[in-house]
Amino acid sequence: MNKKILGLAGGCVLIAGLSAAVVLVSRQQAAEESSSEAEISAAVTTVDPQDLVLSAQSADNVASIDVENSTGSFVVVRTQKADEATDTSVAFGVKGWEELPTNTALISTLANNMASLTASSVVLEDCSDMDKYGLGSDAAKGTIHFDDGSSFAFRIGSSVSDGENNYFAIEGDDTVYAVKTSLTANYSNSADSFLSLVMLNAPAEEEYPIVNYLTINREDMDYEIKLSYVQDANNENTGGTASNHEMVSPIPAYLSVERSTDVITGMFGASAAKILKTYPEKKDLSEYGLDTPFGTAVMDCDDGNSYTLNIGDKFTETDEDSGTSKSYYPVMLEGVDVIYAMAEDKCVWASVTPTDLASSLVLATYVWDIDKLTLSAEGMEDMEFDITGNDKTDAAVKLNGKSVDTERYRKFYTFLLQTTAEGTAIDEKPVGEPEAVLYFHTKNGKKEQEICFYRQDSYTCLITINGISSFRCRSSFIDTLKENMSIFNTDKDFIMSWS
């Protein structure tokens, strides 16, 4: 191309005692004698646009890229070819790390931005001092290798004073260009910055698998938390506050949707704060407490996949400048040879408790799904309900063998649904005999529960479910239950609250 000087225009020289005169100096002299910090603004000039086209290849034809910068050197290789027939896009990975989760959007910029490249302007031709523009030995360097055997090698220098461009040079050429910073910035990244911090990609919404169960085991718990999917869950009576999963260990309990969702499905799309080690060795696992993990979370899905997250020993880092501290858990997803640092507040499986997950609901089974319900309470006549029909239009209810009004039964059952737990009671033991017992089983035979109420003192009641200590509630509930049992065969309104 024709050599042109398109740098800084001539300066103004003030001559004391004389009227001001503007002297135009040559562009070459201005560039070479400038006393600025080696920054020359790219000029708007009349240049053949073709002279600004530095590479005119396609990213689909990039076979590999050599990168060298202040963090070291590495090679990016193509891991997947583009295929229009299958609507497959080209994909890349860091050589040696091809099997590790990769930030595909970020690493693809290395090919997409540079395989086809047009400069913003020519800054200087016949440059004799590349260091002035950051294009010397310390420059970030890249070489793109194409399928046809050709290559495009270049250097990326310091920032142009306009803040939008970087100085740029083709390897072996002495012309300095200005190229958009947005196109060149990622060539200064370290190799591991192109690895994904998302440990397990989230599937498309319509492709989300059902989590059959989620189990958590930790050194600080002497029990296992197990959450299981309920295929026929019916939340009509709960207003959507109960999950389609239930806790089956350490206690049987309905789950709060809001507080359990991240625990059940949170591995999908979970993002770490940073990468601690790729392809860790035994000493690395030991260093982060992953040789004998502090905790594990296992997610088993109905698509046949199972995922295990191992959680190491928590550590804290302090920012020397601000003095603020932040805690992390080292984690590894089995099958992925990377130790990630996950922020403490994001690693929910490391600290969640049954109380965190459990809904306050003690009973949530749909009224017409039950075919037998019995109630006994100290000093009260036992009540045995037999229910037929599947909804209010065809339901029929008998109490101790005699037909009763179905709407009256429904209202009574609505009161039973108000039974509210006020905390879990995993380690408590019942004393004596229960003061009240509620038993039911469903028409499909999939659910059968005996719920017992033990008055512990004038304020507190212990609730067991199928013999397992599960919740606490106010002992005044027992009194209200007895009162409502006593007025069932009247037209009095049932009491719906207690204190």
Side-chain angles (χ1 to χ4, degrees):
M1 71 183 262
N2 294 327
K3 303 293 185 177
K4 299 178 182 176
I5 299 172
L6 303 175
L8 197 66
C12 297
V13 180
L14 180 64
I15 303 175
L18 300 177
S19 62
V22 178
V23 180
L24 296 177
V25 297
S26 71
R27 294 187 180 92
Q28 179 70 45
Q29 181 180 354
E32 293 178 349
E33 295 180 358
S34 172
S35 60
S36 67
E37 292 82 6
E39 292 186 347
I40 300 178
S41 298
V44 179
T45 65
T46 54
V47 61
D48 186 345
Q50 189 59 39
D51 290 344
L52 299 178
V53 177
L54 308 184
S55 179
Q57 288 269 17
S58 167
D60 290 346
N61 298 327
V62 174
S64 65
I65 307 172
D66 303 326
V67 180
E68 180 182 344
N69 57 39
S70 61
T71 70
S73 59
F74 56 94
V75 178
V76 172
V77 294
R78 184 173 58 202
T79 57
Q80 176 180 279
K81 285 190 174 183
D83 187 342
E84 290 185 5
T86 59
D87 196 27
T88 301
S89 301
V90 65
F92 300 92
V94 176
K95 187 175 182 179
W97 296 349
E98 294 94 333
E99 300 303 316
L100 301 182
T102 299
N103 187 331
T104 55
L106 184 65
I107 201 167
S108 66
T109 62
L110 299 180
N112 292 338
N113 292 352
M114 303 298 277
S116 176
L117 179 67
T118 299
S120 301
S121 64
V122 176
V123 175
L124 182 66
E125 294 181 339
D126 298 324
C127 179
S128 59
D129 186 5
M130 287 292 191
D131 285 328
K132 180 183 293 186
Y133 305 96
L135 293 166
S137 58
D138 293 335
K141 305 175 184 68
T143 302
I144 302 179
H145 302 279
F146 299 100
D147 287 333
D148 61 7
S150 64
S151 61
F152 175 47
F154 50 85
R155 295 188 176 205
I156 301 166
S158 52
S159 297
V160 179
S161 58
D162 63 5
E164 297 181 359
N165 292 272
N166 275 74
Y167 295 116
F168 185 94
I170 299 172
E171 197 69 61
D173 191 1
D174 58 6
T175 300
V176 177
Y177 300 89
V179 170
K180 290 291 185 185
T181 301
S182 58
L183 302 177
T184 62
N186 292 335
Y187 275 86
S188 297
N189 287 8
S190 61
D192 62 8
S193 72
F194 295 103
L195 295 180
S196 178
L197 294 177
V198 177
M199 296 174 288
L200 179 63
N201 287 328
E205 186 174 350
E206 65 275 8
E207 297 175 358
Y208 248 92
I210 293 172
V211 177
N212 289 327
Y213 65 81
L214 188 288
T215 60
I216 302 171
N217 287 278
R218 292 200 309 264
E219 287 182 354
D220 63 340
M221 301 188 305
D222 57 5
Y223 50 79
E224 175 182 76
I225 296 177
K226 185 170 183 177
L227 315 178
S228 182
Y229 177 69
V230 182
Q231 186 173 4
D232 58 349
N234 188 320
N235 293 327
E236 182 172 334
N237 292 299
T238 70
T241 59
S243 167
N244 285 335
H245 290 75
E246 293 180 6
M247 188 185 302
V248 295
S249 175
I251 61 173
Y254 298 104
L255 300 177
S256 161
V257 173
E258 181 181 358
R259 290 180 275 115
S260 66
T261 299
D262 284 348
V263 176
I264 296 168
T265 61
M267 285 191 205
F268 289 120
S271 184
K274 58 185 174 181
I275 290 172
L276 298 174
K277 189 71 178 180
T278 57
Y279 295 109
E281 299 177 356
K282 287 184 178 180
K283 63 180 180 63
D284 303 311
L285 298 177
S286 178
E287 177 184 353
Y288 291 109
L290 286 163
D291 51 346
T292 54
F294 159 73
T296 60
V298 179
M299 179 176 64
D300 180 83
C301 301
D302 71 342
D303 60 3
N305 291 313
S306 181
Y307 306 94
T308 299
L309 185 71
N310 291 314
I311 305 168
D313 299 328
K314 184 172 69 172
F315 65 94
T316 301
E317 290 183 345
T318 301
D319 186 291
E320 294 182 359
D321 295 329
S322 65
T324 57
S325 298
K326 192 164 187 178
S327 295
Y328 302 90
Y329 282 98
V331 298
M332 284 190 75
L333 188 69
E334 283 193 7
V336 180
D337 284 334
V338 178
I339 299 177
Y340 297 92
M342 198 169 191
E344 181 181 16
D345 61 339
K346 299 294 183 183
C347 192
V348 293
W349 310 274
S351 59
V352 70
T353 67
T355 302
D356 296 331
L357 297 169
S359 166
S360 62
L361 298 170
V362 175
L363 179 64
T365 303
Y366 183 46
V367 57
W368 306 123
D369 285 346
I370 294 174
D371 66 351
K372 182 176 288 294
L373 184 149
T374 64
L375 273 167
S376 61
E378 189 177 276
M380 304 297 298
E381 180 183 355
D382 290 351
M383 303 178 75
E384 182 175 315
F385 295 93
D386 292 288
I387 304 98
T388 59
N390 298 312
D391 55 47
K392 64 182 181 180
T393 61
D394 64 357
V397 181
K398 288 185 176 181
L399 170 59
N400 297 335
K402 296 182 179 180
S403 294
V404 295
D405 180 58
T406 56
E407 180 63 12
R408 184 67 174 170
Y409 168 74
R410 187 195 66 78
K411 289 180 178 179
F412 181 68
Y413 188 80
T414 300
F415 155 71
L416 295 178
L417 289 175
Q418 306 301 313
T419 310
T420 304
E422 298 184 8
T424 57
I426 297 170
D427 299 323
E428 297 187 29
K429 302 294 183 184
V431 177
E433 296 298 318
E435 191 169 337
V437 178
L438 185 159
Y439 165 84
F440 74 91
H441 65 71
T442 56
K443 293 183 174 73
N444 61 15
K446 291 186 178 181
K447 193 153 194 168
E448 182 176 12
Q449 282 190 344
E450 183 182 68
I451 304 172
C452 297
F453 300 86
Y454 295 81
R455 193 188 297 266
Q456 293 182 305
D457 51 43
S458 60
Y459 184 79
T460 307
C461 170
L462 174 66
I463 301 173
T464 66
I465 299 178
N466 293 341
I468 301 173
S469 294
S470 302
F471 302 104
R472 287 183 299 274
C473 75
R474 300 182 188 186
S475 60
S476 55
F477 170 77
I478 299 176
D479 300 323
T480 307
L481 173 63
K482 290 180 179 181
E483 179 65 22
N484 283 336
M485 290 174 67
S486 69
I487 65 173
F488 185 88
N489 288 318
T490 71
D491 59 0
K492 292 182 179 180
D493 291 337
F494 293 115
I495 304 167
M496 292 295 179
S497 62
W498 53 92
S499 58

